[in-house]
Amino acid sequence: MVSDELIEEIRAQADIVAIVGEYVQLRRSGRTYRGPCPLHKGEGPNFSVDPARGIYKCFVCGEGGDVFAFPMKLLGLEFVEAVKFVAERCGIIVPETDTRRAEEDPYRDLREAVAFAAEWYQRQLWDEPHGEAARTYLLVRRGFPEEAVRRFGFGYAPDAWRALREAAAVLEIGDEVLLKVGLIKQSERAKEPFDHFRGRLMIPIYDLRGRVIGFGGRTLAQDADAPKYINSSDSPIFHKGKIVYGLNWSRHAIRRQEVFLVVEGYMDYAALAACGIENVIAPLGTSLGEAQARLLSRYAKRALLLYDSDRPGLVATFKAADELLRAGVHPSVATLPQGEDPDSIVRKGGAEALARHTEDAVDVLDRKIQILQQRGYLDTIEGKRRAVDGLLLTARAAKDEALRDIYLDRVAAVTGVRRATLERELARAESGWRRRRAASSPAPAPAEAPIPKLGPERKLLLLLLRDTALIPRVAQLVEPASFRVPAYREIYSALIATHGSPSQAGGGESEVSLAWAEQLPPPLHERVMELRADPEELTNPESVLEETIARLRGRALEKRLADLMTEVLVADTSAAVELAEQIKKTRQELAALGSRLPGRGLFRGE
Ligand SMILES: [Zn+2]
């Protein structure tokens, strides 16, 4: 017995081209791979494998199916054997007795609503007169081939208040579901809910199984007031922080090429993918986050960042690079000419033009050094001081110890500060309450830390599950983003959503307080049950609460401090003064937080 969840994980991870390729000599032919059919032992190239869709098909004998069907047909395996066969090839271990419950998808109605919308938006783009402007934009102004636009599933949301809502109603998809997936909105001024996306080019966002889970919408109006992009809000099936745009199409190419290109947005992705560059991804409208970096690190350990060369682009580059370093990925940075972006470069010169720039990519630390040199930071004592801070930020982020070592040597060589001093500085950069820990284990690298036995996240959840009346107060102080363990973060979010306001909170361990947990996906639900069963005694809960909150806030402040230190490096003079002031304040806040914490003992999990 293997759970559906694990089967899907294996399917998502599997490289069907590699698996079929063990038995068939495959040649690339456009988006698919062709070879002689091993099933009817054909000789012509009539057997086709489509990596984007994860399927194979023979045009002569008609056999076809997914990555599990192939070994079943070819080797005569049973389904479970075939699953294990594929799992082995993508490094996933199938437990002998997989205890996870194989249940029906609890979000089927949400998925169906989103799938309907994706198809409806596409029909508006291709078949309706009001799709004209969007078609012109894509096919003429952007110059995308029609085949590519169809492959990406782009669509058009007409400039009308309730067009999608009305079309959905015909299929009995109601407001409640549409609200949950963020396709319609409610406002106090309007009596009826209205479409969230209006007059926008619609970019469907897919999960690794190729299912649409959310949308990005790009405005087509010249109106400068409208935000250029809006995204679906997070929903039970769509978590922006965990999804990377394009990975559903790119992941096998990324595995093969062992490097991925990071571009800023959907249109850059589309431009590169349309001209045959396959190993590209884009974060979703925001900067690349921790969970996204970790996801990507499973596919390749090298990244090439292709952002604009303007100031916001540089800040985004360095922030993304630090996240990647923390996830154990080594990032390089390609410098594009002023005013150019990946899209404009391939539009003018195709893939070769882009390749000329990517060949000149430099390591991210070297890129930072280049910028600091250009801006004269290394010419003055004050500037050098700031440069050391900025460079150590990158050195500290490197999870790979050998790389961190190289970085420290490099920083020492460039700034003239002795290496021993830099090492001390690196330890000092850890704020007060983390310094103690740093002294015993110099590698911070929290990214893949095992779930702490009794870290602050778990402690806080234990307290909140035992007394839900605490939740509104905690919700004011701790953001879900401060949680590092994804499962804990989701449970915390669910607690806030259901108990976050004083009227919802209720008290103690009432029966009612478990209804919210029933709504969670089975693995999270089990984790909640496990937390509730934990007999750990927390003496003096009030002070434990204060400490855990302080620790989680400390993390948020550290993140903010790191962001500010990156921004100050590329800021102009007047902005730099302001940022320096904020850095000082954040440092003081952190120090104040540290002094309120006890020295030892309590947090053995941290
Ligand atoms: Zn065949």
Side-chain angles (χ1 to χ4, degrees):
M1 188 61 211
V2 186
S3 72
D4 287 357
E5 198 195 19
L6 187 57
I7 289 171
E8 289 317 323
E9 193 179 326
I10 295 163
R11 190 200 305 281
Q13 289 279 321
D15 181 349
I16 191 169
V17 174
I19 288 169
V20 174
E22 288 178 25
Y23 301 93
V24 186
Q25 184 92 36
L26 291 172
R27 270 175 207 286
R28 179 134 177 229
S29 157
R31 288 162 47 207
T32 61
Y33 290 77
R34 292 293 194 96
C37 175
L39 302 170
H40 81 269
K41 309 251 184 316
E43 291 190 348
N46 297 308
F47 184 84
S48 157
V49 180
D50 183 340
R53 293 164 67 202
I55 54 169
Y56 68 92
K57 172 92 188 155
C58 172
F59 298 113
V60 175
C61 68
E63 285 289 355
D66 64 7
V67 68
F68 303 124
F70 182 75
M72 288 170 78
K73 278 273 147 52
L74 185 73
L75 308 171
L77 302 182
E78 296 290 331
F79 180 69
V80 173
E81 292 170 338
V83 169
K84 287 181 179 164
F85 174 90
V86 175
E88 213 172 273
R89 278 154 179 79
C90 44
I92 295 176
I93 296 156
V94 179
E96 273 315 307
T97 48
D98 182 13
T99 52
R100 279 186 278 181
R101 276 179 290 172
E103 277 191 3
E104 212 189 303
D105 181 0
Y107 302 123
R108 210 171 116 192
D109 51 345
L110 305 189
R111 292 187 204 287
E112 282 171 358
V114 172
F116 157 75
E119 207 212 303
W120 187 80
Y121 288 138
Q122 284 178 46
R123 284 208 307 273
Q124 308 313 303
L125 175 70
W126 295 109
D127 305 340
E128 299 292 337
H130 59 212
E132 169 84 45
R135 285 198 299 274
T136 307
Y137 173 80
L138 290 167
L139 303 177
V140 181
R141 276 195 51 204
R142 287 278 177 173
F144 292 147
E146 181 176 331
E147 169 276 320
V149 176
R150 289 195 189 268
R151 171 158 41 113
F152 304 140
F154 288 169
Y156 174 67
D159 197 5
W161 285 98
R162 293 183 181 84
L164 175 77
R165 179 170 177 254
E166 280 158 19
V170 174
L171 293 179
E172 295 180 339
I173 299 172
D175 286 351
E176 197 199 335
V177 171
L178 295 174
L179 281 166
K180 257 192 211 161
V181 293
L183 284 168
I184 60 173
K185 298 265 150 193
Q186 210 140 25
S187 109
E188 289 181 359
R189 282 182 299 173
K191 222 166 66 202
E192 305 255 300
F194 53 89
D195 291 0
H196 178 46
F197 297 98
R198 300 182 308 279
R200 284 176 184 268
L201 172 68
M202 296 302 291
I203 299 128
I205 297 159
Y206 299 85
D207 65 9
L208 287 177
R209 291 169 62 184
R211 300 178 299 191
V212 181
I213 51 175
F215 296 93
R218 187 194 191 281
T219 183
L220 290 170
Q222 304 300 323
D223 177 8
D225 290 344
K228 198 166 165 197
Y229 284 97
I230 56 176
N231 283 308
S232 296
S233 43
D234 274 17
S235 78
I237 57 170
F238 182 55
H239 306 279
K240 273 191 278 291
K242 286 197 209 160
I243 297 284
V244 174
Y245 183 73
L247 193 59
N248 54 308
W249 295 300
S250 309
R251 65 199 144 108
H252 300 311
I254 291 172
R255 277 241 171 84
R256 276 195 292 277
Q257 301 182 32
E258 298 178 329
V259 58
F260 55 90
L261 311 186
V262 185
V263 294
E264 278 187 278
Y266 310 122
M267 288 300 144
D268 288 322
Y269 174 90
L272 267 54
C275 75
I277 303 171
E278 289 184 295
N279 55 333
V280 191
I281 59 92
L284 298 188
T286 46
S287 56
L288 188 85
E290 181 190 333
Q292 292 171 318
R294 232 178 320 151
L295 172 65
L296 288 164
S297 75
R298 283 160 49 189
Y299 294 89
K301 297 293 182 204
R302 282 195 306 130
L304 185 59
L305 298 166
L306 275 172
Y307 286 25
D308 294 357
S309 300
D310 57 6
R311 253 177 220 145
L314 275 176
V315 171
T317 298
F318 291 135
K319 285 183 185 173
D322 286 352
E323 286 296 358
L324 290 167
L325 283 166
R326 275 191 281 274
V329 176
H330 186 184
S332 309
V333 181
T335 303
L336 306 179
Q338 275 301 332
E340 301 274 7
D341 55 31
D343 176 24
S344 66
I345 289 172
V346 295
R347 218 176 325 157
K348 282 180 230 159
E352 304 83 53
L354 190 72
R356 281 196 292 279
H357 294 290
T358 56
E359 277 158 18
D360 294 337
V362 297
D363 170 275
V364 61
L365 188 83
D366 285 331
R367 180 69 185 126
K368 239 183 197 179
I369 291 167
Q370 280 177 1
I371 303 264
L372 294 171
Q373 276 164 345
Q374 279 162 17
R375 303 177 73 90
Y377 272 92
L378 301 177
D379 305 337
T380 66
I381 290 173
E382 164 68 10
K384 246 185 207 174
R385 169 74 263 183
R386 206 171 279 165
V388 167
D389 279 348
L391 293 171
L392 283 182
L393 211 56
T394 293
R396 181 154 79 108
K399 182 184 166 192
D400 182 300
E401 281 192 42
L403 185 62
R404 184 152 11 110
D405 204 51
I406 294 167
Y407 278 0
L408 280 179
D409 280 342
R410 187 94 178 88
V411 177
V414 169
T415 60
V417 177
R418 280 183 305 131
R419 185 176 156 123
T421 313
L422 292 174
E423 279 171 7
R424 270 205 306 280
E425 192 74 5
L426 204 59
R428 206 178 69 94
E430 311 253 326
S431 58
W433 47 276
R434 284 242 295 227
R435 202 185 314 150
R436 281 184 289 275
R437 180 171 155 251
S440 56
S441 64
E448 282 185 9
I451 292 178
K453 182 74 188 82
L454 201 57
E457 299 180 12
R458 187 178 174 91
K459 263 191 184 171
L460 186 57
L461 287 180
L462 287 178
L463 286 166
L464 298 183
L465 286 167
R466 287 170 196 185
D467 184 0
T468 51
L470 295 170
I471 295 170
R473 199 173 106 210
V474 175
Q476 300 285 316
L477 296 169
V478 179
E479 286 180 35
S482 316
F483 280 71
R484 288 209 193 102
V485 179
Y488 290 164
R489 179 169 33 208
E490 294 206 19
I491 293 169
Y492 180 68
S493 301
L495 276 171
I496 292 182
T498 49
H499 299 75
S501 69
S503 58
Q504 295 170 312
E509 295 178 76
S510 64
E511 287 296 315
V512 191
S513 70
L514 272 184
W516 65 274
E518 299 286 333
Q519 306 296 315
L520 295 171
L524 284 182
H525 182 249
E526 276 169 28
R527 172 79 21 104
V528 173
M529 293 300 127
E530 182 258 323
L531 283 165
R532 282 184 56 98
D534 188 329
E536 178 75 32
E537 264 187 64
L538 301 169
T539 45
N540 197 354
E542 196 51 43
S543 78
V544 173
L545 185 68
E546 197 181 313
E547 284 161 29
T548 50
I549 290 173
R551 278 177 199 278
L552 292 173
R553 289 195 60 207
R555 285 183 190 172
L557 284 173
E558 284 204 327
K559 174 82 174 65
R560 187 174 144 68
L561 186 61
D563 285 353
L564 287 168
M565 278 158 64
T566 299
E567 278 163 35
V568 78
L569 293 184
V570 299
D572 60 34
T573 322
S574 63
V577 172
E578 166 65 18
L579 286 165
E581 191 55 36
Q582 288 183 38
I583 288 174
K584 205 169 120 196
K585 269 199 198 127
T586 311
R587 283 211 165 110
Q588 283 165 351
E589 270 180 72
L590 261 171
L593 210 53
S595 66
R596 292 221 306 272
L597 291 167
R600 64 202 149 78
L602 268 168
F603 291 89
R604 42 196 160 94
E606 174 86 342

